[in-house]
Amino acid sequence: MNKIVVLDGYTENPGDLSWEGLEKLGETTVYDRTPLHLIVERAQGANIILTNKTPITKETLAQLPDLKYIGVLATGYNVVDVEAAKQMNIPVCNIPTYGTDSVAQMCFALILEFYNRVGLHDEAVKKGEWSSSPDFCFWKSPLIELKGKTIGFIGFGRIGQRAADIAEAFGMNGIAYDLYPSDQNHRKNFKYVEQDELFQTADIISLHCNLTAENTGFINKEAITKMKNNVLIVNTSRGPLINESDVIQALKDSEIGGLAADVLTVEPPSENHPLFTAPNTLITPHISWATYEARKRLMDIAVNNVENYLAGKAVNVVAV
């Protein structure tokens, strides 16, 4: 009988989903979280393990002789030493497409909060500022319309394209930089551009690219010098795409208009992270993927991945 161990299931399923699909495939043990010193102990004897952010290193793999399959409960799979897994003929399978709509939605939730400051005004009303206002309305920050603004997408795969659909509905102009442009002739007010042109012309820059050695920290001081000084940078992709020190200084010097980020370089961040006190920032705790609907798709795909592996036809393999 298959022995399945989920090392950190709470984030994916805090109680509103079911592990029933996996339980039908074998003896399943689900841990909410697994500290580093318990990984080997808990995974011992399992031929299938699933992880979200619990790291699976070469040293860990060497201590798990029964392991035959690693499932990652996420799109990113850098928590697994895929080269070591490959050498040991252990397939590593991820979940590539579950969060497209949710991440695109979060991208615009951040944009709309920045330009409309809904939370700020809700707080002000509840503190009595509207009740005591001499006028029939008031606003505590500039309110900015999106129509006619130019949004630049760096990375234009599934999520970038879905976000572009939303931008089009708002009447925005779209530009994108992508290493492998796809046919977008159906779009109005859209064009592909080189990265420097995107930096120079975009009112909003939204990151939707994979993290690589080449683009780590590419939103840096040099890039910022090419941008508009009121540009909003939105990151729902990967934290290390941004050189946080350079962006913090640019925010303090009013060289950019703002940063709206759902991801940071180190997660969770320290309590005194300097971005928390930088001006014109919105930071959310890596939740763009976490809608119920997206997590349900993730669960279904994770189960399907295991089913296909057991049937001898592994899918969504990132290392084999």
Side-chain angles (χ1 to χ4, degrees), residues 82-149:
V82 293
E83 285 303 315
K86 183 177 181 179
Q87 292 170 13
M88 301 170 74
N89 295 315
I90 300 172
V92 179
C93 301
N94 73 336
I95 318 290
T97 61
Y98 72 96
T100 300
D101 290 299
S102 289
V103 177
Q105 177 178 309
M106 185 63 171
C107 170
F108 268 86
L110 291 168
I111 291 170
L112 290 168
E113 174 61 23
F114 191 84
Y115 285 112
N116 286 87
R117 299 292 185 182
V118 173
L120 174 69
H121 289 93
D122 170 71
E123 181 182 15
V125 168
K126 291 173 180 175
K127 290 165 79 173
E129 293 184 37
W130 195 12
S131 301
S132 61
S133 172
D135 302 305
F136 78 96
C137 73
F138 70 96
W139 52 94
K140 296 178 70 68
S141 66
L143 305 176
I144 300 171
E145 191 173 86
L146 290 179
K147 184 176 182 179
K149 299 291 187 296

Side-chain angles (χ1 to χ4, degrees), residues 3 19 39 113 139-140 164 166 241 263 275 278 284 304 315 318:
K3 182 178 179 182
W19 296 105
I39 295 172
E113 174 61 23
W139 52 94
K140 296 178 70 68
I166 301 171
L241 293 169
V263 288
L275 267 175
T284 50
N304 185 67
V315 296
V318 297

